[in-house]
Amino acid sequence: QVQLVESGGGLVQTGGSLSLSCAASGRTFSNYYVSWFRQAPGKERIFVAAITWSGGSTNYADSVKRRFTISRDNAKNTVYLQMNSLKPEDTAVYYCAADRNTWSTRADVYDYWGQGTQVTVSS
Protein backbone atom coordinates (compact mmCIF):
# COMPACT_ATOMS: atom_id res chain seq x y z
CA GLN A 1 0.00 0.00 0.00
CA VAL A 2 1.02 3.55 -0.75
CA GLN A 3 -0.67 6.49 0.89
CA LEU A 4 -0.59 9.80 -0.98
CA VAL A 5 -1.36 13.25 0.42
CA GLU A 6 -1.50 16.33 -1.78
CA SER A 7 -0.95 19.86 -0.54
CA GLY A 8 -0.24 23.32 -1.84
CA GLY A 9 -3.48 24.19 -3.54
CA GLY A 10 -5.17 27.55 -3.15
CA LEU A 11 -6.50 30.65 -4.85
CA VAL A 12 -4.28 32.55 -7.27
CA GLN A 13 -4.78 35.20 -9.90
CA THR A 14 -4.32 34.62 -13.62
CA GLY A 15 -0.63 34.52 -14.43
CA GLY A 16 0.34 33.46 -10.93
CA SER A 17 2.12 30.39 -9.69
CA LEU A 18 1.48 27.54 -7.27
CA SER A 19 3.54 24.58 -6.20
CA LEU A 20 1.77 21.35 -5.33
CA SER A 21 3.29 18.51 -3.33
CA CYS A 22 2.38 14.84 -3.19
CA ALA A 23 3.81 13.19 -0.10
CA ALA A 24 3.91 9.41 0.01
CA SER A 25 4.14 6.89 2.78
CA GLY A 26 4.04 3.13 2.85
CA ARG A 27 5.97 1.03 0.39
CA THR A 28 9.16 2.14 -1.32
CA PHE A 29 8.03 5.22 -3.17
CA SER A 30 11.00 5.24 -5.51
CA ASN A 31 9.61 2.10 -7.18
CA TYR A 32 6.51 3.93 -8.37
CA TYR A 33 5.62 6.03 -11.36
CA VAL A 34 3.69 9.12 -10.26
CA SER A 35 1.27 11.29 -12.20
CA TRP A 36 -0.85 14.34 -11.61
CA PHE A 37 -4.44 14.50 -12.82
CA ARG A 38 -7.06 17.19 -12.45
CA GLN A 39 -10.82 17.28 -12.38
CA ALA A 40 -12.97 20.33 -12.93
CA PRO A 41 -16.60 20.40 -11.72
CA GLY A 42 -18.79 18.27 -13.92
CA LYS A 43 -15.89 17.01 -16.01
CA GLU A 44 -13.85 13.85 -16.12
CA ARG A 45 -10.50 13.45 -14.47
CA ILE A 46 -7.74 14.20 -16.99
CA PHE A 47 -4.02 13.71 -17.20
CA VAL A 48 -1.68 16.60 -16.40
CA ALA A 49 1.86 15.29 -15.97
CA ALA A 50 3.80 12.13 -15.15
CA ILE A 51 7.28 11.19 -13.99
CA THR A 52 9.17 7.93 -13.99
CA TRP A 53 10.41 6.28 -10.82
CA SER A 54 13.89 7.73 -11.24
CA GLY A 55 12.71 11.15 -12.32
CA GLY A 56 14.68 10.78 -15.52
CA SER A 57 11.70 11.12 -17.83
CA THR A 58 8.57 13.23 -17.75
CA ASN A 59 5.41 13.61 -19.80
CA TYR A 60 2.96 16.49 -19.98
CA ALA A 61 -0.47 17.19 -21.36
CA ASP A 62 -0.28 19.66 -24.24
CA SER A 63 -2.36 22.14 -22.28
CA VAL A 64 0.30 22.53 -19.58
CA LYS A 65 3.55 22.10 -21.50
CA ARG A 66 6.09 24.88 -20.85
CA ARG A 67 3.97 26.10 -17.90
CA PHE A 68 4.03 23.15 -15.47
CA THR A 69 7.00 21.15 -14.23
CA ILE A 70 6.83 17.80 -12.48
CA SER A 71 9.72 16.65 -10.32
CA ARG A 72 10.39 14.26 -7.48
CA ASP A 73 12.65 13.84 -4.49
CA ASN A 74 12.72 10.16 -3.58
CA ALA A 75 14.70 10.87 -0.43
CA LYS A 76 11.72 12.90 0.78
CA ASN A 77 9.11 10.58 -0.77
CA THR A 78 7.59 13.59 -2.49
CA VAL A 79 6.56 14.54 -6.01
CA TYR A 80 6.05 18.17 -6.93
CA LEU A 81 4.08 20.04 -9.56
CA GLN A 82 5.27 23.57 -10.17
CA MET A 83 2.55 25.51 -11.98
CA ASN A 84 3.38 28.83 -13.61
CA SER A 85 1.42 31.21 -15.83
CA LEU A 86 -1.82 29.85 -14.43
CA LYS A 87 -5.05 30.35 -16.34
CA PRO A 88 -8.69 30.19 -15.21
CA GLU A 89 -9.06 26.94 -17.15
CA ASP A 90 -6.49 25.37 -14.82
CA THR A 91 -9.05 25.57 -12.02
CA ALA A 92 -9.71 22.05 -10.75
CA VAL A 93 -9.06 19.58 -7.99
CA TYR A 94 -5.57 18.20 -8.53
CA TYR A 95 -4.82 14.59 -7.65
CA CYS A 96 -1.60 12.64 -7.58
CA ALA A 97 -1.62 8.97 -8.48
CA ALA A 98 0.98 6.23 -8.24
CA ASP A 99 1.52 2.88 -9.87
CA ARG A 100 4.39 0.43 -10.05
CA ASN A 101 3.90 -0.53 -13.67
CA THR A 102 2.70 2.42 -15.65
CA TRP A 103 2.74 6.15 -16.12
CA SER A 104 -0.29 6.08 -18.33
CA THR A 105 -2.41 9.10 -19.21
CA ARG A 106 -5.48 7.03 -18.29
CA ALA A 107 -6.75 7.58 -14.78
CA ASP A 108 -8.40 4.18 -14.46
CA VAL A 109 -5.15 2.22 -14.44
CA TYR A 110 -3.60 3.73 -11.33
CA ASP A 111 -3.63 1.79 -8.10
CA TYR A 112 -3.18 4.61 -5.59
CA TRP A 113 -4.67 8.08 -5.31
CA GLY A 114 -4.51 11.01 -2.97
CA GLN A 115 -7.54 12.93 -1.74
CA GLY A 116 -6.91 15.94 -3.99
CA THR A 117 -6.15 19.61 -3.48
CA GLN A 118 -8.20 22.48 -4.90
CA VAL A 119 -6.59 24.97 -7.27
CA THR A 120 -8.62 28.03 -8.19
CA VAL A 121 -7.39 30.60 -10.70
CA SER A 122 -9.30 33.86 -10.74
CA SER A 123 -9.59 35.99 -13.85
Side-chain angles (χ1 to χ4, degrees):
Q1 284 281 56
V2 173
Q3 293 80 40
L4 303 173
V5 178
E6 301 96 335
S7 62
L11 173 65
V12 65
Q13 292 185 332
T14 297
S17 299
L18 280 175
S19 181
L20 305 183
S21 298
C22 173
S25 60
R27 293 189 176 180
T28 306
F29 186 55
S30 59
N31 291 340
Y32 287 78
Y33 298 93
V34 177
S35 294
W36 286 94
F37 288 79
R38 66 187 182 188
Q39 188 167 20
K43 297 188 177 181
E44 64 180 8
R45 193 169 298 188
I46 61 172
F47 172 77
V48 175
I51 192 166
T52 55
W53 62 269
S54 68
S57 295
T58 57
N59 185 33
Y60 296 93
D62 288 344
S63 60
V64 307
K65 280 182 180 176
R66 292 175 295 279
R67 299 191 298 124
F68 291 11
T69 302
I70 188 171
S71 62
R72 69 189 297 164
D73 185 340
N74 286 336
K76 296 182 178 180
N77 285 347
T78 303
V79 171
Y80 306 96
L81 185 68
Q82 177 64 41
M83 305 185 296
N84 298 328
S85 302
L86 283 161
K87 306 174 181 179
E89 51 264 43
D90 294 318
T91 295
V93 177
Y94 283 69
Y95 299 89
C96 64
D99 196 277
R100 286 202 65 177
N101 301 309
T102 183
W103 60 330
S104 173
T105 59
R106 288 175 47 193
D108 61 341
V109 303
Y110 285 82
D111 288 335
Y112 304 104
W113 289 89
Q115 82 292 347
T117 185
Q118 176 70 47
V119 171
T120 303
V121 184
S122 63
S123 56

